[in-house]
Amino acid sequence: MRKFLVLSMILITFLAFAQPKLVIWCSEKQVDILQRLGEEFKARYGVMVEVQYVNFPDIKPKFLTAAPEGQGADIIVGAHDWVGELVANGLLEPIPSFAERNQFFDSGLSAFSYGGRLYGLPYALEAIALIYNKDYVSKPPKTVEEMIKIARQIDVEFGRGVRGLVFPVTTFYYAVPFIFGYGGYVFKDTPTGLNVKDIGLANEGAIKGARLIKRFVDEKIVDPADNYQIMDSMFKEGKAAMIINGPWAIKDYRDAGIDYGVALIPDMEPGLVAKPFVGVQGFMVNSKSPNKLLALEFLTNFIAKRDTMYRLYLADPRLPARKDVLELVKDNPDVVAFTLSAGNGIPMPNVPQMGFVWGAMDDALNLIVNGKATPEEAMKNAVERIKAQIQ
Amino acid sequence: MHGFGKLLGLFFVGLLNVFFFWIAFFLFGNAYYALGTLFIVLVMLIDFFIFNPRGYPYRYVAPALVLLTVLVIYPIYFTIKTAFTNYGTGHYMSKEEAIERLLYDPVYTYQVENDSVEYKVFVAYDGFTASHDDFLILFKIDGELFVGEKPSPVKRKGKDVLLSEAQLTLVKGSAYQLVPQSNELAQIRMILLGEKTYKAFYSPREEFLKVNEPTFKSRIGQIHLHRSDYVHPSGNKYALRMDRTGEWSFVRIERLYRLDLLQTAEDGKPKTKVVVVNNRTNRPLIEKEGSFYDVNENGEEVYLIGYIDFVGWKNFSRVLKDPRIAGPFLKIFAWTFVWAVLSVIVSLAVGLPFALVLNDPKLKGRNIYRTLLIVPWAIPVFISALVWRNGLLNESYGVINKFLLPALGLPALRWMNDPFWARVGVILVNVWLTYPYMMTISLGALQGIPYELYEAAMIDGAGKFKRFWNITFPLLMTVIAPLLVSSFAFSFNNFTIIYLITGGGPPIPGSTTPTGYTDILISYVYKLAFQAGTGQDFGLAAAISILIFFLVGGISYFNFRFSGVFEEVGK
């Protein structure tokens, strides 16, 4: 059936085939700007650039289905943690080093590196931070204790109308700052890459973090039923005072007319900082694309330039991956706050083994907040499960 | 008139033949041999049915046959084939393709000399415009000038060109005439070859030719030089690569891997094996579990590329032997069974009374009631499932927990996080979605029960209850039992409901795989094969799907056997 579908796709592309054309798959935020950049590229190179909008979570699965059959986009815009899986399948083309490589933040380049080769051109970093509504919170909390205090005050003051703190507590990604803050880690970072045999999710620090999360729930600061949609819509409606979210959500909050501020996720204890996951967005090249050379040219001699990167930033304001672009946007307090948060963070592992971690940790957090297992049990068990699956 | 119709028919058959042959040749051209053969066989069968009198009875089933083959039999064949392979993350291409990649892909080359060679591109003009399909490249290698023509393919696969090559010709003493005659590339403006003139078009070192750089890259570099080698008379190869500054230049390259024959002794007999050898270390690549590994300077194995390999019964034995999969398998199987049985029985228990009431001729406005009762069936499952999950069953904001239960003075239920209530929740949703079906089939079956039976029973003095149990129910069951069996099979595999309502959760503590209390076999398979770990595992998913097919098939078979349904219906 799959082959049949692919066959009909081949027929269609066969009929439309004429000359090189670059196809880019990206998510909503980049469509317009890439289309404009594509037209400029066309004016210079005479090569059509077709930008196709694909839902962000669908890009990788769609690419995995299409690319092995010689179909699919020449360039995809995605997250650095796809790299491991895509490289293992032989679907990504390494990017040769290019002229202004040293202008990029090392964290972005290393996040896209795998086995010593660069597989993506980073354009934006991202990390979550504390976002607060200035109507309810005048000064963002500096420590977790302060945050609990403020959240409780607001809960009491507004009854059920406004919640003090909302975040998806059973989603590992959002719980990570607290787990890493006390010294937990996913895979040990060694000079030769990540050691997937050394898992730090059941060490003393990680368990301490898990206990803190349990405390949030026990003291009814956070509701275990909260999920991303609830958090997002409550903040947009002005019904949440503090949330933990990433730079991607900011535009919506501004559009919704919320007087928001961005701050670091509070310290566990004074001096013990919260460490979120750092994600990197970037451009990757399909290794089976017939237009590899042009695609690489488009990335390294066009997209990677300072001006283009700045325009990408303006279209989709995330933390820029080029140092000189960050200089240009210093007056934006949101970007500075998120960048500081990313500065504290840990890059999300890009090894395929990370796939085991998400499910195991979401389940562990679920069991913890529902009192089905103690933090020690749940975290130890999750690590066992990850280890058993990695083998 | 009759003759015209026949002609028209022949015309369409001809059209169909052309179309199918075109598809088949297209598929062959793109190296899909199995599917291409299938299309040829199909078109020949169709022709046989139409033109051979003995095939006459089949000609009307021909369209169905085509669809059956392409949409049912081919996928089944593909599933079975996949179940015996390691198809999944890391193993996405055939071995042939993996080796082709290693041998021909520009990534698997290395630069022999650090310096790039000087080059200048010349194109022929037709009138005023450059024709990018006719070009020469002038190279300066070790002080001598060489001309390379447009490379031509030497290795193809289907329509794809794996490798192109062009020989370099020493300009001295060849038919090429340089204008002006010079040894400096920058001086040369034209190359003459017989009647043809090639004019200077691009050089990375000449400012005023740089305007043509984008055109050179997109029209010549990308299209003709992308997988091409220029071969020096000495055998050295030069190819276009991007250098450290992003400049496109020609460098001397060597392929990292080559094919070689290796003499091995197996069971005392000498055997010749084809191996891929690293040109730099002269060591053959290690091949294990469907992947190629190279050995680096430190003696570490480095994963290179994986391919789809036949693994025999491994995927099936994994299901039975691997404790990570086999452990929860039985637990989940038991729940799947309970889930399917309860879904059928409870929804029948809800649907049947409605049908009995609606069947009563004394009831006024039956059509309105019937329409209203069928509504749950008419709304797409995806919508109603999400409404149930977020609107009704949500633990904090759902209608049931927020309004309904407090109004009754009951504590809130933990629909998503308590194993028992999560199971009750999914059954509740499924019953809501399937009772209209049960009601409809019961209504249909009730129409078929002769009224005289009831009259006779009434004369004998049987009460309403007795009439139901002794007449309605048994006669009803003979008609709807086969439908119940298929409904059971459907529930058994009803992935959508589970996935949309609970996603299989809440998790079972202590399990080493992503397993939840409401996971049924098919959702468990999905999680194992696509969510559990390092990506996707189509081989395992196919194997478990086949097992599920036999499970469902077996259960349905025994259901039919022991309920004696076939015999009853047969009468």
Side-chain angles (χ1 to χ4, degrees):
Chain A
M1 187 59 215
R2 209 166 62 81
K3 279 207 168 168
F4 185 74
L5 283 177
V6 170
L7 161 73
S8 45
M9 274 161 56
I10 294 172
L11 287 177
I12 292 162
T13 45
F14 178 70
L15 293 172
F17 175 80
Q19 55 169 13
K21 181 176 85 174
L22 286 179
V23 178
I24 304 178
W25 284 351
C26 64
S27 45
E28 196 191 346
K29 298 259 167 65
Q30 302 105 25
V31 173
D32 292 338
I33 179 69
L34 284 180
Q35 234 149 24
R36 256 176 284 146
L37 291 172
E39 268 152 35
E40 282 166 35
F41 189 75
K42 189 186 172 198
R44 278 193 64 197
Y45 286 78
V47 173
M48 263 266 284
V49 178
E50 191 179 315
V51 183
Q52 293 174 357
Y53 162 47
V54 182
N55 254 332
F56 184 76
D58 296 336
I59 293 179
K60 189 178 80 165
K62 213 177 149 184
F63 187 71
L64 273 171
T65 321
E69 306 286 346
Q71 301 299 302
D74 302 303
I75 296 172
I76 56 170
V77 184
H80 77 276
D81 53 331
W82 301 354
V83 165
E85 188 184 348
L86 295 180
V87 171
N89 287 330
L91 300 178
L92 288 190
E93 181 76 6
I95 295 179
S97 67
F98 48 94
E100 296 172 44
R101 194 184 151 124
N102 53 4
Q103 278 296 337
F104 283 78
F105 283 114
D106 280 342
S107 58
L109 292 173
S110 68
F112 268 110
S113 298
Y114 191 82
R117 279 175 158 161
L118 181 69
Y119 284 98
L121 177 75
Y123 90 89
L125 311 175
E126 58 190 27
I128 49 177
L130 186 80
I131 304 175
Y132 59 97
N133 188 328
K134 287 182 180 163
D135 294 347
Y136 308 111
V137 181
S138 49
K139 204 168 128 272
K142 285 269 176 278
T143 64
V144 166
E145 290 304 326
E146 263 182 67
M147 179 170 77
I148 292 176
K149 217 177 94 201
I150 296 175
R152 192 177 289 138
Q153 268 172 8
I154 291 168
D155 280 343
V156 171
E157 191 180 332
F158 292 91
R160 298 173 73 98
V162 177
R163 293 257 313 275
L165 176 66
V166 186
F167 77 98
V169 67
T170 56
T171 306
F172 182 51
Y173 183 76
Y174 290 90
V176 148
F178 305 106
I179 292 171
F180 290 177
Y182 279 118
Y185 54 86
V186 179
F187 300 122
K188 189 79 182 171
D189 198 7
T190 67
T192 55
L194 294 172
N195 178 6
V196 298
K197 297 269 148 73
D198 185 349
I199 300 172
L201 287 170
N203 66 14
E204 208 184 317
I207 289 170
K208 233 171 156 182
R211 282 208 198 99
L212 177 65
I213 283 160
K214 174 126 179 72
R215 197 183 135 205
F216 286 152
V217 175
D218 287 348
E219 296 187 9
K220 300 212 183 325
I221 303 293
V222 177
D223 192 320
D226 289 343
N227 58 33
Y228 184 85
Q229 280 83 15
I230 291 176
M231 165 176 87
D232 195 48
S233 59
M234 281 181 87
F235 195 75
K236 265 187 237 167
E237 288 164 21
K239 287 183 180 164
M242 293 182 282
I243 61 168
I244 295 176
N245 208 346
W248 55 83
I250 285 295
K251 191 168 174 287
D252 285 353
Y253 301 153
R254 197 183 310 134
D255 292 348
I258 300 291
D259 186 14
Y260 67 89
V262 183
L264 287 184
I265 296 171
D267 296 355
M268 308 292 107
E269 289 152 23
L272 205 55
V273 297
K275 293 179 178 170
F277 265 142
V278 178
V280 185
Q281 299 278 315
F283 296 79
M284 291 165 258
V285 176
N286 180 350
S287 69
K288 295 191 80 177
S289 145
N291 308 315
K292 274 197 279 198
L293 275 179
L294 265 187
L296 291 174
E297 169 79 10
F298 179 66
L299 294 191
T300 55
N301 283 336
F302 194 70
I303 295 285
K305 298 287 178 211
R306 190 184 79 144
D307 292 352
T308 324
M309 282 288 179
Y310 182 52
R311 288 169 63 190
L312 271 169
Y313 165 83
L314 291 178
D316 176 21
R318 301 193 198 184
L319 324 182
R322 258 185 90 119
K323 294 171 195 163
D324 45 8
V325 176
L326 185 69
E327 293 298 319
L328 294 175
V329 303
K330 269 267 164 74
D331 55 337
N332 184 334
D334 299 350
V335 171
V336 173
F338 278 120
T339 312
L340 289 176
S341 186
N344 290 339
I346 294 178
M348 211 186 297
N350 66 3
V351 288
Q353 283 84 353
M354 189 60 195
F356 297 120
V357 176
W358 298 112
M361 288 311 296
D362 283 355
D363 284 355
L365 289 169
N366 219 307
L367 295 171
I368 291 169
V369 301
N370 286 302
K372 286 271 155 21
T374 65
E376 289 86 352
E377 279 167 13
M379 301 294 265
K380 286 219 167 76
N381 188 266
V383 170
E384 288 305 307
R385 181 168 136 187
I386 297 165
K387 276 190 178 151
Q389 290 181 92
I390 288 176
Q391 277 187 344
Chain B
M1 197 61 220
H2 183 73
F4 177 71
K6 204 166 181 178
L7 212 64
L8 203 69
L10 274 178
F11 175 71
F12 278 118
V13 171
L15 215 61
L16 191 77
N17 269 287
V18 170
F19 184 61
F20 270 43
F21 270 104
W22 181 66
I23 292 182
F25 281 109
F26 182 75
L27 286 168
F28 278 120
N30 283 285
Y32 292 102
Y33 302 111
L35 208 57
T37 317
L38 182 74
F39 270 92
I40 293 204
V41 170
L42 275 179
V43 77
M44 279 158 80
L45 272 178
I46 291 170
D47 287 348
F48 173 77
F49 293 155
I50 289 173
F51 294 111
N52 191 313
R54 272 186 299 163
Y56 193 86
Y58 299 107
R59 63 157 51 158
Y60 298 105
V61 284
L65 194 77
V66 173
L67 290 177
L68 183 79
T69 319
V70 177
L71 298 176
V72 179
I73 300 189
Y74 188 75
I76 289 176
Y77 155 77
F78 200 70
T79 309
I80 295 174
K81 203 177 97 181
T82 307
F84 292 95
T85 67
N86 58 5
Y87 188 24
T89 294
H91 308 276
Y92 256 72
M93 52 189 100
S94 63
K95 186 173 182 180
E96 188 196 354
E97 198 190 335
I99 291 177
E100 279 166 1
R101 278 269 193 108
L102 291 175
L103 296 182
Y104 303 118
D105 197 287
V107 175
Y108 299 107
T109 56
Y110 63 95
Q111 201 170 326
V112 183
E113 286 159 3
N114 272 331
D115 302 327
S116 55
V117 296
E118 257 186 88
Y119 71 102
K120 189 163 176 175
V121 184
F122 294 78
V123 298
Y125 279 75
D126 46 2
F128 289 104
T129 51
S131 100
H132 307 295
D133 259 356
D134 194 358
F135 63 90
L136 297 174
I137 302 181
L138 202 57
F139 292 91
K140 190 171 179 182
I141 301 167
D142 299 328
E144 297 208 78
L145 294 182
F146 292 88
V147 172
E149 292 184 3
K150 185 172 95 179
S152 48
V154 288
K155 277 274 186 296
R156 281 173 179 279
K157 187 191 184 191
K159 278 208 156 48
D160 299 326
V161 175
L162 295 176
L163 182 65
S164 300
E165 265 180 17
Q167 296 297 323
L168 289 178
T169 323
L170 192 61
V171 173
K172 222 177 281 169
S174 70
Y176 298 106
Q177 269 188 298
L178 305 183
V179 182
Q181 192 71 38
S182 163
N183 206 28
E184 285 305 312
L185 282 185
Q187 308 256 312
I188 301 161
R189 303 258 60 91
M190 250 193 277
I191 303 179
L192 302 178
L193 177 65
E195 292 290 289
K196 254 184 178 169
T197 324
Y198 293 87
K199 287 183 189 160
F201 183 72
Y202 169 69
S203 158
R205 305 205 177 171
E206 288 169 59
E207 260 330 296
F208 77 101
L209 285 179
K210 270 221 160 177
V211 289
N212 285 330
E213 183 175 324
T215 325
F216 163 69
K217 285 178 173 174
S218 59
R219 291 297 155 91
I220 298 176
Q222 168 59 46
I223 299 174
H224 300 289
L225 306 177
H226 166 219
R227 285 167 170 264
S228 309
D229 293 349
Y230 280 95
V231 187
H232 191 269
S234 68
N236 291 345
K237 290 172 183 159
Y238 294 87
L240 189 69
R241 292 286 182 272
M242 279 167 122
D243 70 10
R244 298 203 162 275
T245 58
E247 200 84 63
W248 294 25
S249 53
F250 278 89
V251 291
R252 193 179 148 204
I253 55 133
E254 206 63 70
R255 282 190 202 283
L256 206 44
Y257 302 107
R258 65 166 196 272
L259 275 186
D260 210 346
L261 296 172
L262 188 73
Q263 302 292 334
T264 53
E266 223 169 80
D267 306 328
K269 272 182 252 161
K271 233 183 144 184
T272 319
K273 228 174 97 184
V274 181
V275 287
V276 182
V277 179
N278 185 323
N279 278 330
R280 281 176 126 172
T281 59
N282 255 326
R283 261 191 293 200
L285 295 186
I286 298 165
E287 217 179 306
K288 59 180 182 191
E289 288 167 354
S291 308
F292 284 107
Y293 292 85
D294 203 348
V295 180
N296 69 7
E297 312 86 59
N298 305 333
E300 291 161 348
E301 282 179 16
V302 182
Y303 169 86
L304 278 180
I305 203 163
Y307 54 87
I308 301 171
D309 199 14
F310 179 77
V311 293
W313 292 94
K314 197 179 151 204
N315 287 322
F316 292 93
S317 68
R318 253 175 88 190
V319 178
L320 303 173
K321 285 186 192 147
D322 190 334
R324 296 177 288 158
I325 302 171
F329 195 86
L330 277 182
K331 218 187 247 178
I332 290 172
F333 178 64
W335 156 244
T336 310
F337 201 78
V338 171
W339 144 263
V341 168
L342 281 182
S343 291
V344 173
I345 291 179
V346 179
S347 52
L348 181 68
V350 176
L352 186 56
F354 280 131
L356 289 173
V357 172
L358 286 175
N359 200 38
D360 191 339
K362 280 174 272 180
L363 186 72
K364 292 254 169 22
R366 278 193 295 169
N367 281 337
I368 297 170
Y369 291 125
R370 194 183 300 193
T371 315
L372 287 177
L373 285 169
I374 273 178
V375 163
W377 200 13
I379 297 172
V381 174
F382 281 84
I383 294 174
S384 40
L386 290 177
V387 168
W388 272 91
R389 189 183 82 180
N390 292 327
L392 295 169
L393 296 179
N394 186 298
E395 288 177 3
S396 333
Y397 308 99
V399 173
I400 296 182
N401 274 7
K402 202 165 183 184
F403 302 111
L404 206 63
L405 292 174
L408 296 172
L410 295 170
L413 293 174
R414 298 169 59 220
W415 292 107
M416 294 296 152
N417 289 310
D418 186 273
F420 177 75
W421 289 110
R423 286 177 170 185
V424 171
V426 284
I427 290 180
L428 201 66
V429 180
N430 202 24
V431 167
W432 163 261
L433 290 169
T434 39
Y435 87 84
Y437 169 75
M438 295 295 178
M439 184 184 82
T440 314
I441 58 169
S442 307
L443 263 175
L446 285 174
Q447 311 300 322
I449 302 176
Y451 191 65
E452 297 83 62
L453 288 177
Y454 292 107
E455 278 181 332
M458 270 191 279
I459 291 165
D460 286 348
K464 260 194 168 165
F465 200 66
K466 207 161 181 177
R467 271 178 286 165
F468 173 77
W469 272 120
N470 291 334
I471 302 171
T472 317
F473 195 67
L475 285 174
L476 194 75
M477 283 318 274
T478 56
V479 180
I480 65 170
L483 297 171
L484 294 185
V485 173
S486 61
S487 174
F488 169 86
F490 181 77
S491 287
F492 202 86
N493 278 326
N494 200 338
F495 172 79
T496 332
I497 299 283
I498 301 291
Y499 187 74
L500 291 178
I501 302 288
T502 59
I508 298 177
S511 61
T512 49
T513 42
T515 331
Y517 281 103
T518 53
D519 263 324
I520 55 174
L521 279 175
I522 192 79
S523 67
Y524 177 56
V525 173
Y526 176 80
K527 283 184 174 178
L528 271 184
F530 300 108
Q531 291 189 327
T534 54
Q536 300 162 315
D537 193 343
F538 297 115
L540 181 67
I544 304 184
S545 306
I546 291 172
L547 289 181
I548 292 182
F549 169 78
F550 281 113
L551 274 176
V552 176
I555 292 167
S556 304
Y557 176 75
F558 282 109
N559 258 331
F560 279 123
R561 269 302 284 274
F562 291 116
S563 61
V565 165
F566 275 136
E567 286 83 347
E568 288 291 336
V569 174
K571 279 177 196 167

